[in-house]
Amino acid sequence: MASLSSCWTDFCYYANSKSCDGYVGGFTLICEGKLDFGSFGIQRTIIDVINLVFLFVFYLLLFVCSVRKLQRSVVNKRDRISIVVSICCALISISYLSVGLWNLIARNGEFNGLSWLIELVRGLIWISLSVSLLVHASQPVKIFISAWWVSFALLVSVLHIEILFRTHRIEIFDVLPWPVNILMLFCAFRNFIDLTKEHESLSEPLLEEKEETYQIEVCEANFFSKLSFSWINPLLSRGYLRPLALEDIPSISAEDESSLAYQKFANAWETLIREKSSIDRRNLVLRALTKVYFKENIVIAVCAILRTISVVALPLLLYAFVNYSNQEEENLQKGLVLLGFLIVSKVVESLSQRYWYYASRRCGMRMRSALMVAVYQKQLKLSSLGRQRHSTGEIVNYIAVDAYRMGEFPWWFHSTWSLVLQLFMSMGVLFSVVGLGAIPGIVPLVICGFLNMPFAKIIQKCQSEVMISQDERLRAISEILNSMKIIKLQSWEDKFKSLIESLRGKEFKWLSKQQFLRPYGTVLYWISPTIVSSVVFLGCALFGSAPLNAGTIFTVLATLRSMAEPVRMLPEALSILIQVKVSFDRINTFLLDDELRNDEVRRFPLQNSDKSVTVEAGNFSWVPEIAIPTLRNVELEIKRGQKIAVCGPVGAGKSSILYAMLGEIPKLSGTVSVFGSIAYVSQVSWIQSGTIRDNILYGKPMDADKYDKAINACALDKDINTFDHGDLTEIGQRGINMSGGQKQRIQLARAIYNDADIYLLDDPFSAVDAHTASVLFNDCVMTALAKKTVVLVTHQVEFLSEVDRILVMDGGQITQSGSYEELLMAGTAFEQLVNAHRDSITALGSLNGQGEGESRGIAPVMFNGCSPTKQNSEGEISVKGPPGIQLTQDEEVEIGDVGWKPFMDYVSISKGSVYLSLSILTQLTFVVLQATSTYWLAFAIQIPNMTNSMLIGVYTGVATLSAVFVFFRSLYAAYLGLKASKAFHSVFFFFFFFLLGNELGVNVMFHVPFESFPKVSSDMSILDFDIPFAFVFVAAGVTEVLATIGIMAFITWQVLIVAILAMVGVKYIQGYYMSSARELIRINGTTKAPVMNYAAETSLGVVTIRAFNMVDMFLRNNLKLVDTDATLFFLSNAAMEWLVLRIETLQNLTLFTAAFFLLLLPKNQVTPGLVGLSLSYALSLTGTQILASRWYCSLWNYMISVERIKQFMHIPEEPPAIIEDNRPPSSWPSKGRIELQELKIRYRSNAPLVLKGITCTFQEGTKVGIVGRTGSGKTTLISTLFRLVEPASGKILIDGLDICSMGLKDLRMKLSIIPQEPTLFRGSIRTNLDPLGLYSDDEIWKALEKCQLKTTISALPNKLDSSVSDEGENWSVGQRQLFCLGRVLLKRNRILVLDEATASIDSATDAILQRIIREEFSNCTVITVAHRVPTVIDSDMVMVLSYGKLLEYDEPSNLMATNSSFSKLVAEYWSSCRRNPYQNFSSYQ
């Protein structure tokens, strides 16, 4: 060892002596005492100055480029030559730095004082050259770097040639760098050549880039790559060069796929189910996960133990270092051994902790994926009773909240027990150092620990209440979003706004309480070490168990610091584990709920059976406990190929009998047999998000011929042709951008393309006009499905004569069954239905004076081409957008680094700059006081006459004062967060109710997809909980790192050089990491929502999915979505560990350097107190830096939530609700006269006109019918009347007042509407009929009587307080429509709009309701949009629309007297009805 030291000393001596001779670069002014530009020394100095200028400009350019993000957009892979040259430069730099440092430390007195500075400067130059060879630079920077290399190489070469020419010799210190300069010259010329090539062909690298894919999987990586997380380098490199996209993300490894995770969990679950009795089935989910992942967690536990041991060992090493510095004799070997132990301890801590964090989250990801798939799989099997117990929103929560918690569960679990272990081991260290003096310290430690427990419970209580309130609010918001159109039409915004505000107020109350409690927890965390250490010092003084010297004091402080982490984290960990337990219980309950029984329906292959469906002695009930079943005594046999119609009044059980055939309704008794495959078309359209083609194919392979036939049979061909993207047009969530008729026809096309044996059609024609219904019945049911078995539920009596058999239902029983003729002869219920329809047809005939007979005037019209053919049945209004623009629009996503703008937005919107400034200021004060208290200990122990009471008292006072400032720091952060929460929620709330208005109708999807709502709710949660304290923690981390480095540099200032380089490295690595991490978080924001939306979509359409036997396909799709989301979670965590490992390495170098310099310090130069102070701070440097970096990166990622919420602030605002200066009179409208003047409508500024200059007048008190083909503009006209869409030009006047001049509320409150899609809200019958609470029970019962619901509701136990489930699912569609009629009967405005209001009810009920409307609204203007011509035939005036133009507007009798478009529509309807033998009806009576 001595000889090695001697050799190193001699080498440094030689190098510096040559420096004085001018051969290695001594400074001429120093070495020779005069300024001589001809000397080699001054020439070397000039080269050094030039290099320093280049170096300064180089780093300045890098800084500018990092700010402006002028990164290369192509991949420029580092070649081997550049890497080799860079390594050589680094080695030369290390040589110069080593010589300089040795001169500075070991022989500072023997040489000129500036020689070490020259060597350090040259070391800095060479390390910068090494960096310049590796950096990915923009073209200007690359040119500058190349110029630097050329100038340096040429200048050095000229100097060396001159030295050789004049002295005929050259020193080794000049020879070694010279070849490297030559290689740099070569690299420079190669750069110039590459730049020329790039300029000639800029696109080639981009094309090559696209072809490259990175599919590096963890399982394929070698040991070193796994240890250092280098396997993720290709992804981070790509993310640094350009923003990542979803296509850049590698697929997840096979061992992490959700299918494998679910399979393992399912096997364990089934085993436990078999083993456990039906009584004891608690914690089965936890037991199954434990059974699957036990071995993985053993390895994680070993890593956690290693990390705990290494952390606890650090105070002992500090104790040893202080004792070493206190020794009289110098023993460098012993010091180096201590340094070696320190290095080993920190390396073990770093690697074990990194693998623990990474492996636990990877294990958590697998658990999460398994449970997400298990919940999804369960909902596909859930029975009707189970679906009543678990709403769609709750099922989504099981995935989005409960299963998602599993991602962090293993980490928290291992943290909990390892923290307990760390606490007890630290206490052992404390006793080993101070002996009995530690006993008094246990008392405050236990007190602080016990104080944490109730505090944690209160926090947990607040958190639970916040989550409960948040669930309530989100459920309400989700319901309001889905029903926003009816809320706008009815002008109920204030009612629902107050509901959301009250729910948010309740949530905000608990949130405020939780946030204001956090400062007390922070104080408890920081004051605990102060109190405990003071008591321990006092105990040492009283018991005399240990001297109060530097070793004791700083070891105690370091030990208490390692104990503080468990004291702070354990309550939170226990709180998280409690939440996880709740999630386990919720998922456990769900997975054990009732499943659809396989024996509900016996399924047989078609084979040669002549039967399709048989039901024998069937009794079925949605609620088995109810005495009267939903369906009673069902006896049914359907032959193969038969066409069966099911008809009856509203609530008779028509849809339920289809559910019985599907096995969806619980069977009480009897047998159901189905022969062959089933296709099902639901009454309420169920459309998936995706393209039209995807919805029709429904997972089947493309067969062009069959596909075209299905489209044509369902009259979709012209609709598709009008879309700019054809059948690749994107459909929004729940088919929001499709009309009701289009959605129903897409459903039909899906069923036809499926080519099943049995077709169950639940009133598929209610959403289309009479002509289209006729086309669908003929082309679809009777032609395309001619050889299939069809069971058709319908209210269209005109089709009944064409079917083979009719089932008449009433009160849950099949009251009649037979052919059309047989039922007419039998009379009773079927006779009532036919009579009602016949009366409407008679009205048609009477208009033309033909009675019940065939109209001569109509027959020629039919003959001339108006018979039901599909050519005129399609939508007529083009909804084409600009080329390349879909009808739905993806959520906007910021790309790349958006700089400080989100931070500025957060502070400016919340108006929290004062609180942020105060929080940072108090943090700075806190850090200063903390440093002062520890410095006082280091300083005071050296004062001979310092009493123990003075020592401990001053320390305790200053440290306690610092806790006051940390309290205010957290308090100001809480105020900042709450202010921001309130501000952002207000802005979002404003969007929610007042910006969505003009985006409704069919236009909502152009700005905000509803599927982005789950993301916004999680973004609001981040704003509530995370961002404010992230600001504080970043400020705390940065200030504490700077304070730590400052204290270390105060003792050994040389460490500042390494610390600065480490900080520069940390900043670079953070920037490198953030380029990818930012995009990973953003992409992850787009991958989580589809999982939730797909689950919600599946829950709504589970009956259809099961009917088509597509469960496996949907499960596969879900697996893909879960895997994509898991990949982002996995990569985000792996990238974070990659970052932390490198930051730890850099800061550990600073720590090792500080310890090394402390060993080299001459004895008695620095007191042991300062050594202890320096090392105690140095040991915390790595942890503090990681804390700062983690929170810094997290804060940047949290800002993505601010970006997303900001998007909602730029959506066009709807007009004000009330315009004070232009309010209509309270009696307005007194007449109800409506004038349309050159009305033109377009949905977007760049879209074509939808209504094209309509001019007409609806006289006061008249009944106006609006007819036209599907998509002709009828609903658009109604939307304009309510100003859901603003006119592009023209006016609408009501009683002479322009509706665009008044507020929306003033307008909509004076109009009544029964919308096309009936909407009910979760609550009671009373709140659905009278949401504003304006009417008495007596008025409500009268309205119910008029709308034919009084009998049904009177039979319910709770009458008006009877429940209405989500979206009114426990009421039939027809009954929902009647509820909507009840609302307008209560409201009684002068203007009533019926938009397809009776589409889902039978003809008899329709006739009754039309009579009620005529009686109740005799003096009102009634506008009726209807598909059934009889609904509008008795109107005073009829408006005919086509292609958005007004074709006709006249009295029905006048229009029927001519060859008008209306007469053609009537003819089409009549032609479909005349096939029924009404003329022979009397003969059957």
Side-chain angles (χ1 to χ4, degrees), residues 1202-1221:
V1202 177
E1203 291 175 21
R1204 277 202 286 258
I1205 294 175
K1206 275 273 291 180
Q1207 290 178 26
F1208 293 97
M1209 300 178 188
H1210 303 301
I1211 295 170
E1213 181 180 347
E1214 76 171 355
I1218 295 174
I1219 301 175
E1220 291 294 345
D1221 298 336

Side-chain angles (χ1 to χ4, degrees), residues 249-271:
I249 307 300
S251 59
I252 201 165
S253 60
E255 60 190 26
D256 292 323
E257 286 181 352
S258 56
S259 56
L260 180 62
Y262 170 68
Q263 196 57 53
K264 290 179 178 178
F265 172 78
N267 293 338
W269 174 266
E270 292 299 330
T271 304

Side-chain angles (χ1 to χ4, degrees), residues 23-97:
Y23 292 112
V24 179
F27 193 16
T28 309
L29 289 173
I30 298 167
C31 298
E32 301 176 5
K34 59 180 180 178
L35 187 63
D36 180 10
F37 287 100
S39 70
F40 299 143
I42 197 65
Q43 290 174 10
R44 290 179 188 281
T45 304
I46 291 170
I47 293 173
D48 289 340
V49 172
I50 292 171
N51 280 329
L52 282 173
V53 172
F54 270 108
L55 181 147
F56 175 76
V57 177
F58 167 63
Y59 283 118
L60 183 64
L61 285 173
L62 282 186
F63 175 75
V64 171
C65 289
S66 68
V67 173
R68 297 176 60 189
K69 285 294 170 190
L70 295 174
Q71 304 170 20
R72 291 175 59 92
S73 59
V74 298
V75 176
N76 181 22
K77 295 175 71 176
R78 299 188 188 97
D79 58 284
R80 293 181 180 177
I81 296 176
S82 297
I83 293 172
V84 169
V85 177
S86 177
I87 292 171
C88 292
C89 291
L91 291 173
I92 294 169
S93 171
I94 291 169
S95 300
Y96 275 116
L97 290 172

Side-chain angles (χ1 to χ4, degrees), residues 255-256 264 292-301 355 359 362-364 366 414:
E255 60 190 26
D256 292 323
K264 290 179 178 178
V292 174
Y293 297 105
F294 181 75
K295 291 180 181 178
E296 285 183 37
N297 282 275
I298 291 296
V299 178
I300 298 169
Y355 186 81
R362 188 180 185 187
C363 178
R366 292 171 179 172
H414 289 290

Side-chain angles (χ1 to χ4, degrees), residues 44 57 94 110 134 155 184 290 410 417 638 837 1108 1437 1453:
R44 290 179 188 281
V57 177
I94 291 169
E110 298 183 20
L134 298 177
L155 288 171
M184 289 171 62
T290 304
W417 67 259
I638 300 174
H837 191 67
F1108 279 85
M1437 301 290 286
S1453 56

